[in-house]
């Protein structure tokens, strides 16, 4: 049994779509932030899969940069995900303190 | 064998991801999200990224999840607040949208010549000699602090700004200070 690149990418697409479903269908801000993490993880896995393909003998001809570039990319995505979660949860705390609600549909101050 | 591990953990990833977005109680979502992160780190191991697998468990499974669970416990939402009152039409629309997105992505993957040309390559197979050490901590460290030093520094600035923002947003002013600075504004009731 072999593991091909497109199989990995289908998995990543599925995980990303599940995250999109969570963001669109939920009202609780905490769960929406969790779904965002799900989407970021799907993308990370795609980057890692491409990086793995580019260090195989067949794929290394296509790779222009160093073999560790994909890993660096994922590390930076990870750091940004951490920053996003921290700021998102801080906003949630501030909003909850003001309006006593964690539902996104209760936040319509900017609605025209 | 590696491919089988990847496949099984991939299926479990999809299952736990679906459970994360469908559970009513966010605490269950958080616990299932930890399972999801652990399975992702297993897949990173299969794809020869041992350093990232460890970082995934430490940062996602540890730090970020602690943050989520901490906020969940701090808010202590009641049954009534947890009831999201999402109408079925909206759920159906969201489901249709995400299935459509998946179909679009799958079609893009399926019709990409380069990805299909790579179809015969086994991702658990041997690697190029010049990249034999890729993914190891030493290689990543050297690459991060020489070739990619600029993105690294920008990321550190971003995290610094995020810390300041998080502290500013969650800061509560003392009652005394509030009275002197904004007497006319209606006060939000204090939390019991």
């Amino acid at each position: 049994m072999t593991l091909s690149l497109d199989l990995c990418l289908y998995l990543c697409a599925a995980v990303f779509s599940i995250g999109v479903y969570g963001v669109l269908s939920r009202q609780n801000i905490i769960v929406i932030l969790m779904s965002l993490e799900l989407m970021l993880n799907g993308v990370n896995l795609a980057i890692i899969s491409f990086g793995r393909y580019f260090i195989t003998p067949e794929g290394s001809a296509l790779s222009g940069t160093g073999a560790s570039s994909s890993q660096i990319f994922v590390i930076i995505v990870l750091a940004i995900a951490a920053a996003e979660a921290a700021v998102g949860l801080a906003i949630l705390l501030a909003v909850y303190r003001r309006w006593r609600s964690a539902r996104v549909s209760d936040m319509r101050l900017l609605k025209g | 064998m590696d491919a089988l591990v990847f496949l099984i953990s991939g299926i479990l990833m999809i299952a736990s991801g679906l459970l994360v977005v469908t559970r009513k109680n966010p605490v269950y979502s958080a616990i299932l999200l930890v399972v999801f992160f652990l399975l992702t780190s297993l897949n990173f191991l299969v794809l020869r990224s041992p350093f990232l697998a460890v970082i995934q468990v430490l940062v996602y499974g540890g730090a970020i999840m602690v943050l989520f669970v901490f906020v969940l416990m701090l808010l202590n939402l009641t049954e009534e607040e947890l009831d999201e009152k999402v109408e079925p039409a909206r759920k159906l629309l969201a489901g249709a949208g995400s299935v459509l997105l998946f179909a679009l992505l799958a079609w893009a993957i399926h019709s990409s010549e380069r990805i299909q040309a790579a179809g015969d390559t086994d991702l658990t197979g041997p690697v190029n000699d010049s990249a034999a050490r890729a993914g190891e901590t030493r290689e990543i460290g050297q690459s991060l602090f020489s070739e990619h030093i600029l993105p690294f520094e920008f990321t550190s600035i971003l995290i610094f700004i995020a810390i300041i923002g998080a502290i500013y947003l969650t800061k509560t002013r003392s009652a005394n200070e509030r009275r002197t600075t904004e007497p006319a504004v209606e006060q939000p009731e204090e939390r019991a």
Side-chain angles (χ1 to χ4, degrees):
Chain A
M1 185 176 175
T2 60
L3 179 63
S4 60
L5 180 62
D6 49 351
L7 185 73
C8 298
L9 293 180
Y10 286 130
L11 174 64
C12 304
V15 170
F16 187 85
S17 311
I18 292 170
V20 170
Y21 173 73
V23 171
L24 291 178
S25 73
R26 298 299 295 255
Q27 286 276 324
N28 192 325
I29 302 178
I30 301 177
V31 183
I32 289 181
L33 286 173
M34 285 183 195
S35 307
L36 280 178
E37 301 295 338
L38 228 65
M39 288 161 70
L40 285 170
N41 260 277
V43 175
N44 274 354
L45 197 59
I47 296 172
I48 292 281
S49 312
F50 275 117
R52 179 65 183 84
Y53 173 64
F54 285 146
I55 62 171
T56 56
E58 293 89 344
S60 50
L62 297 170
S63 154
T65 48
S68 295
S69 290
S70 66
Q71 319 264 323
I72 307 293
F73 220 112
V74 172
I75 290 173
I76 288 171
V77 171
L78 218 81
I80 290 173
E84 168 253 310
V87 173
L89 290 170
I91 291 173
L92 168 60
L93 277 183
V95 163
Y96 189 80
R97 202 180 284 138
R98 182 74 179 79
W99 281 296
R100 283 286 170 278
S101 166
R103 287 161 51 88
V104 272
S105 55
D106 289 341
M107 297 170 200
R108 43 183 176 222
L109 208 64
L110 291 179
K111 192 175 175 185
Chain B
M1 182 61 199
D2 284 354
L4 199 67
V5 170
F6 186 93
L7 206 67
I8 293 171
S9 82
I11 292 168
L12 289 175
M13 261 169 81
I14 293 177
S16 57
L18 279 173
L19 287 173
V20 167
V21 296
T22 49
R23 290 306 89 190
K24 271 239 155 57
N25 194 334
V27 178
Y28 293 144
S29 295
I31 291 166
L32 284 158
L33 199 57
V34 175
V35 174
F36 176 85
F37 288 148
L38 293 181
L39 290 168
T40 315
S41 105
L42 194 64
N43 278 356
F44 283 1
L45 270 183
V46 173
L47 294 171
R48 273 182 84 109
S49 310
F51 177 71
L52 283 179
V54 173
I55 289 292
Q56 173 87 2
V57 174
L58 287 181
V59 174
Y60 269 122
I64 294 184
M65 284 324 294
V66 165
L67 205 64
F68 273 108
V69 175
F70 175 76
V71 170
L72 267 178
M73 299 296 166
L74 189 70
L75 293 188
N76 196 16
L77 298 172
T78 58
E79 283 288 313
E80 190 195 349
E81 284 170 310
L82 283 180
D83 186 19
E84 303 189 6
K85 301 184 200 80
V86 182
E87 28 323 356
R90 180 174 156 152
K91 271 189 179 165
L92 208 69
L93 214 63
S98 51
V99 166
L100 199 72
L101 179 71
F102 175 72
L104 200 70
L105 288 172
W107 176 73
I109 293 166
H110 186 73
S111 58
S112 162
E113 279 171 28
R114 269 193 149 171
I115 292 171
Q116 289 310 315
D120 300 331
T121 310
D122 187 9
L123 289 193
T124 58
V127 300
N128 197 17
D129 285 341
S130 64
R133 304 182 67 83
E136 287 178 17
T137 312
R138 183 193 166 91
E139 283 292 310
I140 294 174
Q142 277 178 348
S143 173
L144 188 61
F145 292 114
S146 58
E147 207 181 337
H148 300 95
I149 185 73
L150 195 66
F152 173 78
E153 293 294 345
F154 278 128
T155 313
S156 67
I157 294 172
L158 179 92
I159 290 186
F160 181 63
I161 294 170
I163 293 170
I164 295 173
I167 292 172
Y168 175 76
L169 283 168
T170 49
K171 197 173 69 120
T172 46
R173 282 168 294 174
S174 64
N176 197 16
E177 191 187 335
R178 214 185 279 154
R179 211 179 305 131
T180 51
T181 50
E182 38 183 296
V185 177
E186 184 199 353
Q187 299 298 327
E189 51 174 328
E190 278 306 326
R191 213 181 156 171

